[in-house]
Amino acid sequence: MEWDFDTQSNDIRWGLFFQATEKQNSEEEVIIPYGRYQSQFRPVNGKFLLNQNQIKGRYIMRWDNRYSKFYSKRLRYQVFFFSFLFYKTNK
C-alpha cells in the first residue's frame, strides 16, 4: 500500500490503523501513530507492506484537525494498492 497527501494550508495530524474484522469488538492496532505533518509545503508519502497471512481486517487512515479550531484545511490524498505476482521459472 502506498499513499500521499497534502493540505492547501497549515499542517495536519495523520495516522494509520488496523482493525480486525474476524474478531468482534476488536481494538484498533496502531500501525503508524498520529503525527503532525507539514503537508502544506510538500506532499507526505509513504509505503506499508501488507502481510497476506495477516488476519482479515481493514486499514484506516485518519486525519485529525482538532488542534486547529480556527483554521480549516483542504486535504488531497491518494492511496494505491499493488498486487505482487511471483513467477517460478524452470530451466
Side-chain angles (χ1 to χ4, degrees):
M1 173 172 58
E2 292 185 22
W3 62 84
D4 71 70
F5 66 89
D6 60 55
T7 52
Q8 194 170 13
S9 60
N10 300 321
D11 61 348
I12 196 161
R13 286 181 75 214
W14 175 84
L16 177 63
F17 307 89
F18 176 79
Q19 185 173 33
T21 55
E22 290 181 342
K23 301 176 186 175
Q24 289 185 344
N25 301 325
S26 66
E27 296 281 327
E28 285 184 3
E29 176 185 339
V30 176
I31 304 296
I32 299 175
Y34 274 124
R36 280 178 85 164
Y37 294 89
Q38 300 294 324
S39 54
Q40 74 274 27
F41 299 121
R42 62 185 172 116
V44 174
N45 54 45
K47 296 178 185 179
F48 180 74
L49 183 60
L50 303 176
N51 184 350
Q52 291 181 350
N53 298 326
Q54 188 170 4
I55 59 176
K56 293 181 182 179
R58 62 183 177 168
Y59 288 90
I60 303 163
M61 292 188 168
R62 190 171 291 132
W63 288 269
D64 181 4
N65 192 39
R66 284 183 280 174
Y67 64 88
S68 185
K69 295 178 183 178
F70 300 109
Y71 299 102
S72 63
K73 304 212 170 66
R74 183 166 294 192
L75 171 69
R76 181 202 60 84
Y77 67 92
Q78 299 181 87
V79 180
F80 305 97
F81 292 90
F82 298 99
S83 175
F84 295 98
L85 301 176
F86 297 94
Y87 297 96
K88 183 177 179 182
T89 58
N90 294 328
K91 292 187 178 185

